[in-house]
Amino acid sequence: MHIPDNYLSVSTCLTLAAATVPVWARSIKTVARDFPRERFSALGVAAAFSFLAMMFNVPLPGGTTGHAVGGTLLAALLGPEAACLALSIALLLQALLFGDGGVLAFGANCFNIAFILPFSGYYSYLLFRSLLGSSAGVRNYVALALGSYLGINVAALAAGVEFGLQPLLFHNAEGQALYCPYPLGVATAAMAVGHLTVFGLAEVVFTLASYAFIERTSPQFATNPALTQSDDGATARSTRSRFNAIYLGIALLVLATPLGLLAEGTAWGEWGTDEIAEVVVDGQPLGYTPEGMTNGFQWNALVPDYAAPGMPEWLSYILSAIAGVACSIIIFKLLALCLRRPKLA
């Protein structure tokens, strides 16, 4: 679901980025108002969790891959505005450092993954929780599973529509697409198939497993009232201790990230200019490379595809994961200084 550069036109990227700006503004205002300075470390941890989740590629029959995001998980734990900021930082690091998702398409990716996914997943979760009549226990997990499944599928549908509109709106005199060459029916179906099946299930599993881990080991990490109180209504544990288990969980995820290398293939809609002409759709290869991809914007990432030259792929993947986690936490520590609330007179 990471849209690379030159799959969307410049005008499409700018439009989606402009649509995301008020969401970022609301999110920043809400987090600055509601999160005390010491709580900003939770946002860095949230960004790290999502960054790592997106490194675990899952194969789909047919040779494509996808991954979980954890957007509804973060929204359920910290609120959708905090999730939006955490996911945006994770996407920014992926684009700038590792070329995972485009730099020009950053606003479009944030619109889908940092806005549509956590907000639709979160409010679906709240709706199902209300319908099921409980905010705790098994019913809460069922609501969270349904919310996370819907959230990632709504986001995937949005990406499919954005892909599919490109050949309709932008093509040359010969009728060849300038950007993403696949029409609306093909693009939306391709995105739907993977996310309604394997990738949606991966999102549910990651969400429930992570939520259960945090509920059991670090309930005060969350702002969700269902987690922030222990059974007797008292504070569960100190600020310092509540993060110890989470940092251990992150460390284990970092060490496990090479498992994401086992999934061979490229995610649908993320082919490079050297391979898109040969991609088979509807039984035949495309046969050309869109002009906008050939002559479009290029960004030289520091470690493209998480693979450092001259280093074993598994080691490079682990070091990339460490860098992503470290940068996520550092960025939010710096933001805590910038967004600290003024003292009352």
Side-chain angles (χ1 to χ4, degrees):
M1 199 161 36
H2 286 68
I3 300 175
D5 281 327
N6 308 318
Y7 268 77
L8 305 181
S9 70
V10 174
S11 58
T12 303
C13 291
L14 292 178
T15 299
L16 292 173
T20 312
V21 167
V23 183
W24 282 327
R26 170 184 166 177
S27 297
I28 292 171
K29 181 179 179 180
T30 300
V31 168
R33 181 194 64 209
D34 296 342
F35 277 65
R37 183 178 175 187
E38 61 273 11
R39 287 282 294 157
F40 268 69
S41 55
L43 300 180
V45 170
F49 256 105
S50 184
F51 184 96
L52 293 173
M54 290 187 274
M55 293 185 72
F56 286 89
N57 295 313
V58 180
L60 185 72
T64 61
T65 63
H67 52 70
V69 175
T72 304
L73 167 71
L74 302 188
L77 292 173
L78 302 173
E81 292 84 3
C84 176
L85 293 185
L87 289 165
S88 295
I89 292 300
L91 291 169
L92 181 64
L93 293 173
Q94 288 174 327
L96 292 178
L97 300 182
F98 306 107
D100 192 3
V103 172
L104 185 61
F106 171 68
N109 284 321
C110 285
F111 181 83
N112 299 330
I113 300 174
F115 168 42
I116 291 180
L117 196 165
F119 279 86
S120 63
Y122 177 72
Y123 287 109
S124 297
Y125 160 61
L126 292 185
L127 174 62
F128 286 119
R129 198 174 70 174
S130 174
L131 293 175
L132 292 171
S134 176
S135 61
V138 174
R139 292 179 182 179
N140 185 56
Y141 277 82
V142 172
L144 186 58
L146 293 172
S148 63
Y149 182 79
L150 283 176
I152 197 167
N153 274 285
V154 173
L157 177 61
V161 171
E162 292 153 15
F163 280 138
L165 289 177
Q166 300 309 299
L168 179 66
L169 299 175
F170 308 100
H171 49 78
N172 61 20
E174 289 74 34
Q176 292 182 336
L178 296 178
Y179 303 100
C180 178
Y182 305 111
L184 191 61
V186 172
T188 53
M191 294 300 290
V193 167
H195 289 85
L196 286 171
T197 55
V198 177
F199 310 145
L201 179 60
E203 181 77 359
V204 170
V205 170
F206 178 79
T207 298
L208 295 185
S210 300
Y211 191 89
F213 173 77
I214 292 171
E215 182 182 44
R216 178 175 294 273
T217 65
S218 312
Q220 277 219 306
F221 172 79
T223 57
N224 182 347
L227 291 181
T228 54
Q229 299 293 321
S230 62
D231 291 339
D232 61 359
T235 299
R237 57 185 70 225
S238 68
T239 300
R240 178 177 297 180
S241 64
R242 73 174 177 241
F243 283 104
N244 290 341
I246 291 179
Y247 287 135
L248 176 60
I250 286 177
L252 293 175
L253 285 176
V254 166
L255 293 176
T257 51
L259 293 174
L261 296 170
L262 297 177
E264 297 182 355
T266 303
W268 198 95
E270 297 184 25
W271 300 288
T273 55
D274 59 336
E275 55 185 343
I276 191 169
E278 304 302 321
V279 173
V280 176
V281 175
D282 289 340
Q284 60 183 4
L286 180 64
Y288 70 94
T289 301
E291 295 175 22
M293 292 186 181
T294 303
N295 305 316
F297 176 81
Q298 300 294 328
W299 173 261
N300 295 318
L302 184 64
V303 186
D305 299 322
Y306 309 96
M311 184 179 294
E313 197 172 14
W314 65 268
L315 179 57
S316 179
Y317 219 59
I318 289 177
L319 293 178
S320 296
I322 293 173
V325 169
C327 289
S328 298
I329 293 173
I330 290 171
I331 286 172
F332 277 102
K333 285 187 177 295
L334 293 176
L335 286 176
L337 299 177
C338 298
L339 297 177
R340 61 187 302 181
R341 291 178 291 181
K343 294 181 179 179
L344 297 176

